[in-house]
């Protein structure tokens, strides 16, 4: 993973501005992150799990899936500024996208080789690999779950592929969905 380098954040010099800008800058400078995670590689994508979860101690929290380098992590956050991180997937190609199934049990994660991995969120086991929908070496840059358990995946080749998650079959492919690359897909779920 020599291609990834840690980035140092440097303080920028103060800019001259209006009194309103100064008040806004003062407000934002007081805010601090409630929880911090260190990832060895840059974070490429993240997605919050649906609904609220309870930690082992009963505290309410939220789960966040994070694609960073060759790994997919699940970060559990709590309102009291504590949290934990665990690795649920390790790929041969760099992770590019993550999406939670609406029930929060599965994570779909795309990689730079164009494969979409279905991961059990609790155990971290890869249940299925959906490959061959995009052109070879074309990244799976976006994924989302659709009603009925299907998945849509956006590819670096400009295509969108609809997958049946239960069988692993590509149901439909829209080529040239975008002139160069599709970076994201989304679905509206609800009434």
């Amino acid at each position: 993973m020599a291609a990834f380098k840690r980035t140092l954040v440097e303080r920028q010099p103060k800019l001259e501005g209006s009194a309103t800008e100064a008040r806004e800058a003062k407000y934002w400078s007081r805010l601090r992150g409630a929880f911090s995670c260190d990832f060895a590689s840059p974070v490429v994508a993240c997605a919050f799990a649906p609904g609220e979860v309870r930690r082992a101690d009963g505290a309410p929290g939220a789960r966040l899936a994070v694609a960073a380098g060759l790994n997919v992590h699940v970060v559990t956050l709590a309102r009291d500024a504590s949290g934990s991180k665990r690795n649920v997937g390790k790929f041969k190609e760099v992770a590019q996208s993550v999406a939670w199934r609406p029930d929060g049990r599965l994570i779909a994660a795309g990689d730079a080789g164009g494969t979409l991995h279905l991961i059990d969120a609790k155990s971290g086991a890869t249940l299925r690999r959906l490959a061959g929908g995009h052109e070879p070496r074309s990244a799976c840059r976006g994924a989302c779950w659709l009603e009925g358990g299907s998945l849509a995946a956006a590819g670096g080749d400009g295509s969108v592929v609809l997958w049946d998650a239960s069988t692993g079959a590509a149901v439909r492919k829209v080529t040239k969905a975008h002139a160069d690359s599709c970076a994201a897909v989304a679905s509206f779920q609800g009434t």
Side-chain angles (χ1 to χ4, degrees), residues 68-162:
L70 298 175
N71 299 298
V72 173
H73 306 275
V74 171
V75 178
T76 303
L77 306 169
R79 291 185 184 153
D80 65 359
S82 64
S84 64
K85 174 180 81 168
R86 65 184 175 88
N87 188 354
V88 295
K90 185 159 181 79
F91 303 154
K92 293 179 182 175
E93 303 278 349
V94 175
Q96 296 285 308
S97 60
V98 289
W100 289 87
R101 192 168 75 176
D103 65 5
R105 292 182 181 175
L106 293 179
I107 300 169
D111 70 20
T115 301
L116 190 61
H117 304 260
L118 302 184
I119 303 168
D120 182 285
K122 191 172 186 177
S123 71
T126 298
L127 304 176
R128 187 170 301 232
R129 288 179 180 83
L130 310 176
H134 301 290
E135 295 297 321
R137 307 296 308 150
S138 176
C140 181
R141 296 199 172 146
C144 74
W145 290 88
L146 306 172
E147 288 186 26
S150 297
L151 282 158
D157 59 356
S159 68
V160 175
V161 179
L162 180 65

Side-chain angles (χ1 to χ4, degrees), residues 1 7 25 33 36 42 51 70 90 128 142 150 163 181 183-184 189:
M1 294 295 307
T7 303
S36 175
L70 298 175
K90 185 159 181 79
R128 187 170 301 232
S150 297
W163 295 95
S181 174
Q189 306 237 349

